[in-house]
Amino acid sequence: MIFATLALAECAGAVLAHSLKTPALRLRKGTELTRDHLDTLAKAGVTELTVARLDEDDVKEDRAAALIAEAVAGPGVQVERAFTGRANIFANKAGLLVVDREEIDRLNRIDPAITLATLEAYAPVEAGRMVATVKIIPYAVAGDLVAKASAHGPNGLLRLAPFKAMGVALVSTRLPSLKESTIDKTVAVMVERLAPAGARLIADLRIAHEAEALAEALQKAREAGAELIIVFGASANVDRGDVVPDGIEKAGGRVEHFGMPVDPGNLLVLGHLGSIPVIGAPGCARSPAENGFDWVLRRTLAGLPITAHDLTGLGVGGLLMEIVSRPQPREGGQMEEGRGMKKNPRIAVLILAAGRSTRMGGPNKLLATIEGEPLVRIAARHALEAAPASVTVVTGHMQDAVADALCGLDLRLVHNEDHAQGLSTSLRAGIAALPEDTDAVLVMLADMPDITPDIVRRLMDTYDPAHDGLIVVPTAQGKQGNPVLWSNRFFPQLMDIRGDVGARHLIGANPQAVVEVEIGDAARLDLDTPQALAAAGGTLMTGGHDT
């Protein structure tokens, strides 16, 4: 193919390189020029054009793209009609994209004119998702190059491994330290993970954290017809001889591999009970966030065999994200040897006192009194008596009156100019104002007078980053409430929240980092209405008079 600027008379049969518009004629790039086109352009005063002139053995871009796309497309995918030198390839069912990386690289090195781009290997896709595209860069490419790029076997270079509607058994081991609610949440997350593949949970077995009990449960799962068994240990697997791998072998199964170079997801166990895959899930798989377990689960649900060689080949690209539970030493603190954790973490208290009390019908509820003391002062006093590293109060509505109610207390006031925009603005203002060496913060609401100094101390004492206790959540009869303590690992995410919402979604997204503390009704008692205030023995000030 020749690409050049030619006199108009030499352009018949050539391909227009750039779009052209004249008063009498508009032509798109890629148009094959006819004598009529040239006559009209001549009358418009055009004397030359930049064109591509094809050699006899050249294949036009659309035809070349279509030929190559059809050759590389294997089972489970389909090629759409080529247009402007591009042929897109789509999945015709849900599954995983399987690619021949070495051969695709070879194709892309045949000539710069020919390109093939795909999704990443083993990408999960739904029916109708584009999985690859062939793009021919120039307007035509030599026929021998097209033939070389199309020389593949019947399965092409990419195919779809469809998901199989497997019956899955979930086995969870128990220890006193593991709450039943955590297992319940794990089951719910697993059901969501299985849904895109059409797989279903056929058994939910909960047993003691013992190898013998696990071996018995694995046999029950097989008898129930499980095609895949997933085991969640109450404690992380730390050795090839630990409970989960030992239980697989005691059941007559075999352990293919322990560990994988994917983070999060290192502590995965891969085994088989006869022909049934058994996956010992790492603790991070309790969270819906993507981790190495998802990679193994998807391949299994698509019927793709996984070997120890496959697992050990996942290191490049295996660093998926920073794990909130991983020790992250900061400057200036005393560290515990081998853990990267401070012996005496600096925990601050942040009190949000900027709201407009709209449900109270007008007056600022934070100035309401119980036994003559304003609510906001009660909250601040209780926080100070618990002896945290610092106490910060965020003000907003009726700033001066709230500040007067706190007069004389050893705390820092931060005013939120944007308090009318919602709770998240006060959270951001408060986090930004914390001392730089803060390791964690307890976020308190100023209308919860039953949060006593003892409760505040209990929540601070429960903070345990060395054992993944990075979010401390109080409960009332098992239901989560306030105040919540947050490690500084979550400060960037807290700062990203927008609107009149809190951070409850971050608790749900990070179950592996959550520790719950039962404190009773105090965790859910806030005084949002006149009725609630009156029931707590409070007095609301309106217009200078008590109500």
Side-chain angles (χ1 to χ4, degrees):
M1 186 186 75
I2 299 172
F3 188 90
T5 300
L6 303 177
L8 195 63
E10 301 177 60
C11 292
V15 176
L16 184 64
H18 307 293
S19 297
L20 180 66
K21 183 178 180 181
T22 70
L25 185 63
R26 182 175 183 176
L27 298 174
R28 295 175 61 89
K29 64 179 181 179
T31 301
E32 186 173 335
L33 297 168
T34 66
R35 287 293 179 186
D36 289 341
H37 290 146
L38 300 181
D39 290 344
T40 303
L41 292 173
K43 292 176 182 177
V46 176
T47 60
E48 62 182 20
L49 293 172
T50 301
V51 297
R53 183 175 292 285
L54 277 57
D55 293 331
E56 185 175 342
D57 67 338
D58 284 344
V59 180
K60 292 182 179 179
E61 55 177 341
D62 287 350
R63 177 62 176 163
L67 288 171
I68 296 170
E70 291 290 352
V72 303
V77 299
Q78 60 189 33
V79 180
E80 284 205 343
R81 184 179 65 87
F83 182 70
T84 63
R86 182 183 300 280
N88 296 326
I89 303 173
F90 293 83
N92 57 24
K93 59 184 70 176
L96 292 190
L97 180 66
V98 181
V99 300
D100 187 332
R101 182 186 298 272
E102 184 176 335
E103 284 301 302
I104 290 174
D105 288 345
R106 185 194 65 79
L107 183 151
N108 281 316
R109 291 165 182 153
I110 290 173
D111 189 272
I114 300 171
T115 67
L116 168 60
T118 77
L119 298 179
E120 67 272 17
Y122 303 109
V125 298
E126 65 280 0
R129 171 86 179 273
M130 189 168 81
V131 298
T133 185
V134 174
K135 173 62 178 173
I136 303 301
I137 304 299
Y139 289 111
V141 63
D144 61 333
L145 298 179
V146 174
K148 189 175 181 181
S150 303
H152 310 295
N155 289 327
L157 302 185
L158 56 96
R159 63 182 178 88
L160 193 82
F163 287 127
K164 301 178 183 300
M166 289 184 176
V168 180
L170 186 62
V171 181
S172 302
T173 70
R174 290 177 169 133
L175 286 172
S177 58
L178 180 66
K179 292 191 175 184
E180 203 70 15
S181 60
T182 299
I183 299 178
D184 293 338
K185 292 174 184 176
T186 300
V187 172
V189 168
M190 188 54 55
V191 169
E192 292 182 3
R193 274 194 165 97
L194 297 175
R200 68 198 187 283
L201 195 64
I202 64 169
D204 174 11
L205 306 176
R206 305 183 184 193
I207 60 171
H209 187 65
E210 300 169 354
E212 292 78 7
L214 176 56
E216 184 179 342
L218 293 175
Q219 294 293 356
K220 288 182 179 179
R222 176 159 62 180
E223 292 167 5
E227 299 167 271
L228 166 64
I229 304 173
I230 299 170
V231 181
F232 275 90
S235 179
N237 298 298
V238 297
D239 188 83
R240 177 64 173 69
D242 213 334
V243 170
V244 173
D246 189 24
I248 294 172
E249 293 185 338
K250 278 185 166 59
R254 63 187 186 279
V255 175
E256 313 288 355
H257 196 71
F258 170 50
M260 64 187 299
V262 180
D263 205 344
N266 298 122
L267 303 181
L268 181 138
V269 179
L270 179 64
H272 279 87
L273 184 61
S275 62
I276 303 171
V278 180
I279 304 174
C284 60
R286 295 188 187 276
S287 166
E290 182 172 12
N291 56 79
F293 170 75
D294 290 289
W295 292 9
V296 176
L297 177 65
R298 289 169 187 158
R299 294 198 199 187
T300 305
L301 294 175
L304 297 172
I306 306 172
T307 65
H309 180 77
D310 293 325
L311 290 183
T312 55
L314 296 175
V316 176
L319 182 59
L320 298 181
M321 58 181 287
E322 181 58 42
I323 305 175
V324 295
S325 59
R326 179 183 295 117
Q328 294 178 332
R330 300 181 67 185
E331 294 181 2
Q334 185 179 8
M335 298 297 168
E336 187 175 9
E337 185 177 355
R339 296 294 297 176
M341 296 294 177
K342 290 184 180 179
K343 289 182 179 179
N344 300 301
R346 293 185 58 80
I347 301 177
V349 172
L350 176 62
I351 301 174
L352 305 183
R356 293 177 293 172
S357 306
T358 54
R359 293 177 61 190
M360 197 61 74
N364 190 336
K365 65 179 176 183
L366 302 185
L367 302 177
T369 60
I370 295 179
E371 297 182 355
E373 186 175 19
L375 287 182
V376 67
R377 189 176 183 90
I378 293 174
R381 179 172 56 79
H382 286 178
L384 288 165
E385 289 177 12
S390 66
V391 176
T392 301
V393 179
V394 180
T395 64
H397 180 58
M398 297 182 66
Q399 171 191 5
D400 293 339
V402 172
D404 288 344
L406 297 170
C407 183
L409 297 180
D410 183 18
L411 49 77
R412 180 182 183 184
L413 293 177
V414 175
H415 182 58
N416 175 19
E417 296 284 356
D418 299 322
H419 64 275
Q421 304 303 314
L423 178 65
S424 66
T425 62
S426 292
L427 190 58
R428 289 200 301 277
I431 295 292
L434 293 176
E436 191 172 335
D437 60 353
T438 299
D439 296 296
V441 63
L442 180 69
V443 181
M444 293 179 60
L445 304 179
D447 61 347
M448 300 183 71
D450 287 353
I451 301 299
T452 64
D454 179 63
I455 290 174
V456 173
R457 279 191 291 268
R458 284 180 60 198
L459 296 173
M460 292 194 300
D461 289 345
T462 304
Y463 174 67
D464 186 10
H467 296 91
D468 297 348
L470 299 175
I471 306 174
V472 182
V473 182
T475 59
Q477 291 75 54
K479 295 185 177 180
Q480 295 181 343
N482 284 299
V484 177
L485 188 148
W486 299 89
S487 164
N488 59 20
R489 315 280 176 80
F490 291 96
F491 285 6
Q493 290 157 280
L494 294 172
M495 294 285 285
D496 282 342
I497 298 172
R498 296 293 184 269
D500 192 23
V501 295
R504 189 66 54 187
H505 66 287
L506 292 179
I507 297 174
N510 296 277
Q512 76 280 8
V514 175
V515 179
E516 294 182 342
V517 179
E518 177 63 38
I519 66 170
D521 292 340
R524 298 182 68 84
L525 175 65
D526 54 3
L527 307 182
D528 278 342
T529 66
Q531 294 78 11
L533 179 65
T539 302
L540 188 64
M541 303 296 293
T542 61
H545 300 285
D546 295 352
T547 61

